[in-house]
Amino acid sequence: MHEAALEAFRPAIDVWYDPTLVDDTERLHRELAQADALIVRNRTRVDLSLPDAAPGLRVIGRLGVGLENIDLEACAERGFSVKLATGANTQSVVECVIGAMLVLRRGVFASTPEFWQMIGNLWGQFFGRPLSMAIIALTLITFF
């Protein structure tokens, strides 16, 4: 999470930001003793031990996609609400995909000898063509 984005919550909410806590579980549990909310990324494990360390916790926010790092049963048992940032980075994902298509289509990776050795005779079949001459299939999936 970008630290400047947290400024929007202040002064109404006391916000504490420390990206190093993910690497120090003991300190994370200590700091959570006073927390009402927690926002995590994919590296923070929210398992049985974390909710036990945070008696006042009411909500857990998940930045990014997926819930593989959050024990939803443990959260439900303790009455924690788990909120997702669904769609928050949609625009940047779209831009990344379009950028990757351009890079691959125009052959940007061809600047290294290792690439030339790997690609061999396939260069003309796949790379160096403008995107405007390609047929691109896009699939849009929406979950309700």
Side-chain angles (χ1 to χ4, degrees), residues 53-73:
L57 199 64
R58 296 190 315 249
V59 63
I60 297 171
R62 170 66 167 100
L63 293 179
V65 296
L67 292 168
E68 65 281 351
N69 60 315
I70 299 176
D71 185 339
L72 295 174
E73 288 180 26

mmCIF file of all heavy atoms in Angstrom, residues 53-73:
data_model
loop_
_atom_site.group_PDB
_atom_site.id
_atom_site.type_symbol
_atom_site.label_atom_id
_atom_site.label_comp_id
_atom_site.label_asym_id
_atom_site.label_seq_id
_atom_site.Cartn_x
_atom_site.Cartn_y
_atom_site.Cartn_z
ATOM 1 N N ALA A 53 -4.026 -12.781 18.801
ATOM 2 C CA ALA A 53 -3.153 -11.697 19.264
ATOM 3 C C ALA A 53 -3.833 -10.339 19.198
ATOM 4 O O ALA A 53 -3.286 -9.353 19.678
ATOM 5 C CB ALA A 53 -1.879 -11.675 18.423
ATOM 6 N N ALA A 54 -5.018 -10.276 18.593
ATOM 7 C CA ALA A 54 -5.685 -8.994 18.365
ATOM 8 C C ALA A 54 -7.116 -9.030 18.894
ATOM 9 O O ALA A 54 -8.066 -9.141 18.124
ATOM 10 C CB ALA A 54 -5.671 -8.686 16.872
ATOM 11 N N PRO A 55 -7.297 -8.893 20.197
ATOM 12 C CA PRO A 55 -8.642 -9.001 20.772
ATOM 13 C C PRO A 55 -9.621 -7.928 20.302
ATOM 14 O O PRO A 55 -10.827 -8.161 20.271
ATOM 15 C CB PRO A 55 -8.390 -8.897 22.276
ATOM 16 C CG PRO A 55 -7.063 -8.246 22.414
ATOM 17 C CD PRO A 55 -6.274 -8.618 21.200
ATOM 18 N N GLY A 56 -9.116 -6.764 19.898
ATOM 19 C CA GLY A 56 -9.998 -5.688 19.463
ATOM 20 C C GLY A 56 -10.217 -5.630 17.966
ATOM 21 O O GLY A 56 -10.947 -4.774 17.461
ATOM 22 N N LEU A 57 -9.599 -6.535 17.236
ATOM 23 C CA LEU A 57 -9.688 -6.516 15.782
ATOM 24 C C LEU A 57 -11.118 -6.781 15.318
ATOM 25 O O LEU A 57 -11.787 -7.683 15.814
ATOM 26 C CB LEU A 57 -8.750 -7.590 15.209
ATOM 27 C CG LEU A 57 -8.363 -7.450 13.741
ATOM 28 C CD1 LEU A 57 -7.568 -6.176 13.498
ATOM 29 C CD2 LEU A 57 -7.546 -8.654 13.310
ATOM 30 N N ARG A 58 -11.573 -5.963 14.360
ATOM 31 C CA ARG A 58 -12.932 -6.124 13.827
ATOM 32 C C ARG A 58 -12.956 -6.411 12.334
ATOM 33 O O ARG A 58 -13.877 -7.025 11.831
ATOM 34 C CB ARG A 58 -13.745 -4.860 14.111
ATOM 35 C CG ARG A 58 -13.948 -4.600 15.586
ATOM 36 C CD ARG A 58 -14.949 -3.476 15.832
ATOM 37 N NE ARG A 58 -14.741 -2.321 14.992
ATOM 38 C CZ ARG A 58 -14.314 -1.134 15.408
ATOM 39 N NH1 ARG A 58 -14.067 -0.936 16.678
ATOM 40 N NH2 ARG A 58 -14.164 -0.134 14.575
ATOM 41 N N VAL A 59 -11.931 -5.926 11.633
ATOM 42 C CA VAL A 59 -11.936 -6.073 10.179
ATOM 43 C C VAL A 59 -10.513 -6.301 9.671
ATOM 44 O O VAL A 59 -9.556 -5.748 10.201
ATOM 45 C CB VAL A 59 -12.581 -4.847 9.489
ATOM 46 C CG1 VAL A 59 -11.786 -3.588 9.745
ATOM 47 C CG2 VAL A 59 -12.770 -5.080 8.001
ATOM 48 N N ILE A 60 -10.435 -7.147 8.632
ATOM 49 C CA ILE A 60 -9.164 -7.400 7.953
ATOM 50 C C ILE A 60 -9.367 -7.044 6.493
ATOM 51 O O ILE A 60 -10.286 -7.542 5.838
ATOM 52 C CB ILE A 60 -8.733 -8.871 8.091
ATOM 53 C CG1 ILE A 60 -8.489 -9.199 9.571
ATOM 54 C CG2 ILE A 60 -7.486 -9.156 7.260
ATOM 55 C CD1 ILE A 60 -8.270 -10.662 9.848
ATOM 56 N N GLY A 61 -8.514 -6.183 5.984
ATOM 57 C CA GLY A 61 -8.565 -5.801 4.578
ATOM 58 C C GLY A 61 -7.485 -6.538 3.814
ATOM 59 O O GLY A 61 -6.374 -6.713 4.306
ATOM 60 N N ARG A 62 -7.797 -6.963 2.623
ATOM 61 C CA ARG A 62 -6.834 -7.699 1.794
ATOM 62 C C ARG A 62 -6.569 -6.914 0.531
ATOM 63 O O ARG A 62 -7.454 -6.736 -0.303
ATOM 64 C CB ARG A 62 -7.388 -9.083 1.462
ATOM 65 C CG ARG A 62 -6.608 -9.863 0.404
ATOM 66 C CD ARG A 62 -5.209 -10.225 0.879
ATOM 67 N NE ARG A 62 -4.609 -11.215 -0.008
ATOM 68 C CZ ARG A 62 -3.732 -10.921 -0.951
ATOM 69 N NH1 ARG A 62 -3.333 -9.688 -1.151
ATOM 70 N NH2 ARG A 62 -3.237 -11.887 -1.705
ATOM 71 N N LEU A 63 -5.347 -6.385 0.397
ATOM 72 C CA LEU A 63 -4.934 -5.718 -0.835
ATOM 73 C C LEU A 63 -4.433 -6.775 -1.798
ATOM 74 O O LEU A 63 -3.706 -7.678 -1.409
ATOM 75 C CB LEU A 63 -3.817 -4.713 -0.561
ATOM 76 C CG LEU A 63 -4.206 -3.503 0.277
ATOM 77 C CD1 LEU A 63 -3.006 -2.602 0.487
ATOM 78 C CD2 LEU A 63 -5.316 -2.726 -0.385
ATOM 79 N N GLY A 64 -4.809 -6.678 -3.036
ATOM 80 C CA GLY A 64 -4.409 -7.666 -4.020
ATOM 81 C C GLY A 64 -5.525 -8.670 -4.241
ATOM 82 O O GLY A 64 -6.660 -8.465 -3.828
ATOM 83 N N VAL A 65 -5.172 -9.764 -4.888
ATOM 84 C CA VAL A 65 -6.172 -10.784 -5.187
ATOM 85 C C VAL A 65 -5.885 -12.059 -4.414
ATOM 86 O O VAL A 65 -4.772 -12.319 -4.015
ATOM 87 C CB VAL A 65 -6.212 -11.099 -6.704
ATOM 88 C CG1 VAL A 65 -6.660 -9.889 -7.485
ATOM 89 C CG2 VAL A 65 -4.867 -11.582 -7.196
ATOM 90 N N GLY A 66 -6.903 -12.831 -4.210
ATOM 91 C CA GLY A 66 -6.757 -14.121 -3.546
ATOM 92 C C GLY A 66 -6.863 -14.020 -2.043
ATOM 93 O O GLY A 66 -6.611 -12.979 -1.445
ATOM 94 N N LEU A 67 -7.278 -15.125 -1.452
ATOM 95 C CA LEU A 67 -7.428 -15.204 0.000
ATOM 96 C C LEU A 67 -6.640 -16.369 0.580
ATOM 97 O O LEU A 67 -6.926 -16.824 1.682
ATOM 98 C CB LEU A 67 -8.914 -15.353 0.356
ATOM 99 C CG LEU A 67 -9.767 -14.133 0.059
ATOM 100 C CD1 LEU A 67 -11.244 -14.479 0.165
ATOM 101 C CD2 LEU A 67 -9.413 -12.997 0.993
ATOM 102 N N GLU A 68 -5.647 -16.851 -0.166
ATOM 103 C CA GLU A 68 -4.904 -18.020 0.268
ATOM 104 C C GLU A 68 -4.127 -17.802 1.562
ATOM 105 O O GLU A 68 -3.788 -18.757 2.251
ATOM 106 C CB GLU A 68 -3.943 -18.502 -0.835
ATOM 107 C CG GLU A 68 -2.825 -17.538 -1.173
ATOM 108 C CD GLU A 68 -3.226 -16.377 -2.070
ATOM 109 O OE1 GLU A 68 -4.350 -16.362 -2.602
ATOM 110 O OE2 GLU A 68 -2.403 -15.464 -2.225
ATOM 111 N N ASN A 69 -3.880 -16.578 1.929
ATOM 112 C CA ASN A 69 -3.124 -16.288 3.154
ATOM 113 C C ASN A 69 -4.024 -15.966 4.346
ATOM 114 O O ASN A 69 -3.528 -15.669 5.424
ATOM 115 C CB ASN A 69 -2.154 -15.131 2.914
ATOM 116 C CG ASN A 69 -2.866 -13.856 2.511
ATOM 117 O OD1 ASN A 69 -3.761 -13.870 1.684
ATOM 118 N ND2 ASN A 69 -2.463 -12.752 3.100
ATOM 119 N N ILE A 70 -5.332 -16.023 4.161
ATOM 120 C CA ILE A 70 -6.267 -15.688 5.240
ATOM 121 C C ILE A 70 -7.118 -16.899 5.587
ATOM 122 O O ILE A 70 -7.794 -17.464 4.718
ATOM 123 C CB ILE A 70 -7.165 -14.495 4.841
ATOM 124 C CG1 ILE A 70 -6.299 -13.262 4.574
ATOM 125 C CG2 ILE A 70 -8.196 -14.208 5.932
ATOM 126 C CD1 ILE A 70 -7.061 -12.058 4.082
ATOM 127 N N ASP A 71 -7.084 -17.290 6.842
ATOM 128 C CA ASP A 71 -7.919 -18.393 7.326
ATOM 129 C C ASP A 71 -9.313 -17.826 7.575
ATOM 130 O O ASP A 71 -9.597 -17.257 8.632
ATOM 131 C CB ASP A 71 -7.318 -18.975 8.606
ATOM 132 C CG ASP A 71 -8.064 -20.196 9.103
ATOM 133 O OD1 ASP A 71 -9.247 -20.376 8.725
ATOM 134 O OD2 ASP A 71 -7.478 -20.956 9.887
ATOM 135 N N LEU A 72 -10.191 -17.977 6.583
ATOM 136 C CA LEU A 72 -11.525 -17.389 6.657
ATOM 137 C C LEU A 72 -12.358 -17.995 7.779
ATOM 138 O O LEU A 72 -13.166 -17.298 8.401
ATOM 139 C CB LEU A 72 -12.242 -17.541 5.316
ATOM 140 C CG LEU A 72 -11.612 -16.765 4.158
ATOM 141 C CD1 LEU A 72 -12.314 -17.088 2.850
ATOM 142 C CD2 LEU A 72 -11.639 -15.275 4.432
ATOM 143 N N GLU A 73 -12.163 -19.274 8.060
ATOM 144 C CA GLU A 73 -12.909 -19.918 9.152
ATOM 145 C C GLU A 73 -12.527 -19.315 10.498
ATOM 146 O O GLU A 73 -13.398 -19.034 11.329
ATOM 147 C CB GLU A 73 -12.673 -21.426 9.144
ATOM 148 C CG GLU A 73 -13.348 -22.138 7.997
ATOM 149 C CD GLU A 73 -13.096 -23.636 8.016
ATOM 150 O OE1 GLU A 73 -12.849 -24.195 9.114
ATOM 151 O OE2 GLU A 73 -13.157 -24.241 6.942
#
